């Protein structure tokens, strides 16, 4: 086993390890990530070889890169002594390759003059290759952690690492988060999902090349677009025809065209997934979505609030045709609770996902009443992740489930209904006050 150092990005620290665990599972890489501290962006791990290190972080979004660890210490003197005494290192294998030195610093930074002085202190490595600042064959990195006291700027690092860059992540190699930023997208709406978390969700849902990926609440296609970035073959549906139709000539399909991923766009349908038009034997690799919370307007599903009254309308004739058979017929909708939606989503996923297929969706919760029992469960779906993103008085949680085989029998429950808590929409508009329960 070899020692490596992982460098994380600063955003969404509580999602870092879950994303890497999911990618390790996807790539078949064995790694212990339990020593992670979300207060700092550094994590030392042991891996079998460089190939494992590359596969672990290659498509990561919340990781910057991974480095073969050559040495560490609380001072540069300690760092140099450890490198010099490391008998596992063979400096001479890098004699004839082009190289450069870089710095990665957390909560502090050396001046350019100091950086040059530090780089010169590594002269004992005695590399004979050409220095190439643009496209070197090898990059050697000095990673520094500073400690800040109040408003005072730290003058020296608290801890140091030195390593050979093995792999930069998808985020750093391709600038994928900036590329998919909502501000640069042609078609978005008020509920379009954050690009960075959309990509993270796809990683945790194991979206892969040629996977069939479905979003039952497509909206403006945020998750579909993100899934296509990883090679997924995507399709979606939404009960709101306005979202599918687009605006000012821009549609979900035009977003795919702008990103050059049109071959990954299968179609979108105006459809209520609880009354879906799919064949009974149609299987899906991944279901990924952000269900409507019912905040902007109450949740709706196809069906009539008054079934008897609706039944009488079925015989209505309009211009010689039954009204409900006409192409311009707008079917009635009835109120729908979030708890029922999640029940239906889990049941749909249990029937449609392939074995080991994944369901990933975001669920809102009020911070003052959340308990583990509120997480919906289905006997054929194993809950893998439950990660919180907090917004003061409420949160949303990323829930990731895996469809298991016929022999797996879990628990079916829905804490949102059983806890007798009022709807999320009601609580949201009452500002989650105590008497809104």
């Amino acid at each position: 086993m070899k020692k490596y150092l992982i460098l994380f990005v600063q955003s969404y620290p509580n999602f870092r390890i879950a994303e890497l665990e999911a990618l390790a599972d996807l790539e078949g890489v064995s790694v212990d990530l339990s020593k992670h501290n979300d207060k700092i962006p550094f994590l030392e791990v042991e891996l079998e070889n460089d190939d494992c290190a590359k596969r672990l972080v290659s498509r990561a979004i919340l990781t910057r890169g991974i480095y073969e660890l050559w040495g560490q210490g609380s001072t540069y003197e300690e760092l140099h002594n450890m490198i010099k005494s490391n008998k596992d290192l063979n400096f001479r294998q890098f004699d004839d390759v082009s190289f450069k030195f870089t710095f990665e610093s957390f909560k502090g930074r050396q001046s350019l003059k100091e950086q040059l002085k530090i780089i010169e202190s590594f002269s004992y490595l005695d590399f004979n290759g050409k220095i190439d600042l643009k496209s070197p064959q090898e990059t050697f990195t000095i990673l520094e952690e500073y400690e800040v006291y109040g408003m005072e700027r730290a003058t020296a690092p608290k801890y140091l690492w030195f390593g050979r860059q093995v792999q930069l992540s998808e985020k750093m190699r391709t600038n994928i988060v900036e590329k998919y930023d909502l501000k640069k997208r042609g078609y978005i709406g008020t509920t379009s999902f954050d690009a960075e978390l959309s990509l993270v969700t796809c990683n945790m849902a194991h979206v892969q090349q040629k996977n069939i990926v479905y979003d039952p609440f497509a909206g403006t296609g945020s998750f579909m677009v993100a899934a296509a970035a990883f090679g997924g073959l995507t399709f979606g549906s939404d009960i709101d025809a306005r979202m599918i139709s687009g605006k000012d000539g821009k549609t979900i399909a035009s977003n795919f065209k702008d990103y050059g991923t049109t071959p990954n766009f299968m179609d979108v349908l105006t459809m209520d997934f609880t009354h879906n038009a799919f064949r009974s034997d149609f299987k899906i690799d991944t279901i990924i979505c952000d269900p409507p919370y019912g905040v902007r307007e109450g949740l709706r599903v196809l069906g009539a609030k008054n079934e008897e009254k609706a039944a009488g309308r079925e015989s209505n004739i309009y211009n010689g045709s039954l009204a409900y058979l006409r192409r311009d017929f707008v079917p009635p909708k009835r109120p729908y609770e979030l708890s029922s939606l999640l029940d239906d989503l889990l049941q749909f996923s249990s029937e449609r996902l392939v074995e080991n297929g994944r369901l990933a969706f975001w669920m809102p919760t009020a911070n003052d009443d959340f308990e583990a029992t509120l997480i919906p469960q289905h006997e054929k779906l194993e809950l893998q992740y439950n990660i919180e993103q907090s917004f003061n008085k409420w949160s949303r949680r990323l829930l990731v489930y895996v469809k298991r085989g016929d022999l797996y029998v879990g628990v079916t429950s829905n804490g949102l209904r059983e806890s007798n808590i009022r709807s999320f929409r009601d609580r949201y508009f009452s500002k989650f006050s105590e008497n809104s329960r």
Side-chain angles (χ1 to χ4, degrees):
M1 300 290 281
K2 296 173 63 176
K3 290 185 178 181
Y4 294 87
L5 183 70
I6 296 173
L7 175 62
F8 293 105
V9 302
Q10 295 303 309
S11 55
Y12 308 113
N14 57 327
F15 285 78
R16 294 170 179 165
I17 295 304
E19 183 192 30
L20 276 191
E21 284 180 350
L23 292 176
D25 184 26
L26 177 63
E27 296 291 340
V29 174
S30 177
V31 61
D32 180 5
L33 303 170
S34 62
K35 295 180 180 179
H36 172 249
N37 178 355
D38 63 9
K39 298 294 188 286
I40 62 174
F42 307 105
L43 174 63
E44 295 177 34
V45 297
E46 290 189 350
L47 292 163
E48 187 174 347
N49 52 41
D50 285 0
D51 179 64
C52 291
K54 290 177 181 179
R55 289 189 284 122
L56 177 64
V57 308
S58 179
R59 56 178 276 177
I61 302 300
L62 300 180
T63 301
R64 291 177 63 86
I66 189 167
Y67 305 83
E68 180 189 29
L69 190 56
W70 284 23
Q72 57 187 292
S74 56
T75 65
Y76 273 101
E77 182 180 2
E78 285 185 17
L79 175 64
H80 290 313
N81 287 338
M82 185 173 182
I83 296 173
K84 292 174 182 177
S85 63
N86 191 338
K87 296 180 180 180
D88 294 329
L89 294 177
N90 177 15
F91 304 151
R92 303 284 63 81
Q93 65 180 307
F94 302 106
D95 270 352
D96 299 321
V97 301
S98 61
F99 69 95
K100 73 174 181 179
F101 277 69
T102 63
F103 282 78
E104 292 286 356
S105 301
F106 176 59
K107 291 188 175 180
R109 180 176 295 178
Q110 304 275 6
S111 67
L112 180 59
K113 182 178 179 180
E114 284 295 322
Q115 287 184 0
L116 291 174
K117 183 177 178 181
I118 291 168
I119 291 173
E120 289 173 357
S121 71
F122 286 86
S123 60
Y124 58 87
L125 295 175
D126 197 25
F127 295 144
N128 297 317
K130 177 184 176 182
I131 296 175
D132 186 344
L133 300 181
K134 292 186 176 180
S135 54
Q137 292 171 279
E138 296 288 350
T139 298
F140 298 95
T141 304
I142 301 155
L143 302 104
E144 303 175 318
E145 178 192 355
Y146 290 80
E147 190 166 26
V148 178
Y149 299 96
M151 299 298 292
E152 294 184 13
R153 181 182 180 275
T155 57
K158 171 187 175 183
Y159 206 76
L160 302 154
W161 296 267
F162 179 76
R164 177 180 63 88
Q165 178 183 294
V166 175
Q167 179 70 50
L168 290 179
S169 68
E170 182 81 32
K171 178 173 183 174
M172 302 308 297
R173 291 194 326 273
T174 67
N175 213 13
I176 190 172
V177 174
E178 183 176 345
K179 176 182 178 181
Y180 283 88
D181 191 305
L182 294 179
K183 295 178 182 178
K184 299 180 179 180
R185 197 171 299 177
Y187 178 48
I188 62 171
T190 56
T191 59
S192 294
F193 205 86
D194 172 80
E196 189 167 17
L197 281 179
S198 294
L199 294 163
V200 170
T201 306
C202 288
N203 271 340
M204 295 183 62
H206 283 190
V207 173
Q208 302 177 71
Q209 291 281 342
K210 299 182 180 179
N211 273 181
I212 303 298
V213 182
Y214 172 52
D215 182 350
F217 313 100
T220 59
S222 298
F223 286 116
M224 294 174 62
V225 168
F230 293 116
L233 302 176
T234 67
F235 72 104
S237 65
D238 202 292
I239 197 170
D240 189 345
R242 295 170 298 179
M243 305 302 291
I244 302 300
S245 299
K247 184 179 180 180
D248 299 328
K250 295 291 186 177
T251 63
I252 295 175
S254 64
N255 280 342
F256 278 79
K257 183 178 180 180
D258 291 342
Y259 286 120
T261 54
T262 296
N264 298 82
F265 174 72
M266 296 202 295
D267 210 344
V268 286
L269 314 169
T270 301
M271 184 181 76
D272 170 11
F273 89 101
T274 66
H275 296 76
N276 68 82
F278 305 138
R279 299 192 317 267
S280 60
D281 61 347
F282 179 63
K283 293 296 182 180
I284 302 168
D285 296 298
T286 309
I287 298 172
I288 185 169
C289 59
D290 179 31
Y293 306 159
V295 171
R296 294 177 62 228
E297 57 181 79
L299 293 174
R300 293 288 186 270
V301 68
L302 289 183
K305 192 172 183 179
N306 187 325
E307 296 290 348
E308 292 184 3
K309 188 175 181 180
R313 291 175 178 172
E314 289 186 1
S315 59
N316 288 352
I317 304 296
Y318 183 81
N319 286 346
S321 301
L322 286 169
Y324 76 93
L325 294 178
R326 293 176 55 86
R327 292 182 62 86
D328 58 357
F329 175 73
V330 178
K333 300 180 180 66
R334 60 178 174 81
Y336 192 42
E337 287 294 332
L338 179 62
S339 59
S340 298
L341 181 152
L342 298 182
D343 270 347
D344 289 337
L345 179 59
L346 265 64
Q347 181 60 35
F348 176 87
S349 301
S350 72
E351 297 170 355
R352 297 292 181 165
L353 285 173
V354 299
E355 187 171 335
N356 295 320
R358 293 198 168 201
L359 162 67
F361 69 89
W362 291 79
M363 183 184 86
T365 59
N367 291 344
D368 60 351
D369 63 25
F370 176 75
E371 299 176 7
T373 55
L374 294 178
I375 300 300
Q377 302 274 7
H378 190 283
E379 63 179 4
K380 293 301 179 185
L381 302 173
E382 180 183 357
L383 179 65
Q384 290 260 297
Y385 296 104
N386 165 21
I387 312 171
E388 179 186 26
Q389 182 188 19
S390 183
F391 302 101
N392 192 11
K393 292 187 177 182
W394 72 282
S395 302
R396 61 183 179 188
R397 293 172 179 272
L398 174 58
L399 304 179
V400 181
Y401 302 78
V402 179
K403 166 70 179 297
R404 294 309 187 190
D406 294 336
L407 298 180
Y408 179 82
V409 180
V411 176
T412 296
S413 65
N414 190 325
L416 289 180
R417 180 182 298 110
E418 296 160 5
S419 61
N420 201 31
I421 293 175
R422 291 180 64 189
S423 74
F424 181 81
R425 183 172 189 262
D426 291 343
R427 300 210 63 204
Y428 182 90
F429 284 112
S430 65
K431 302 185 186 301
F432 303 100
S433 58
E434 289 295 325
N435 60 5
S436 66
R437 292 179 68 89

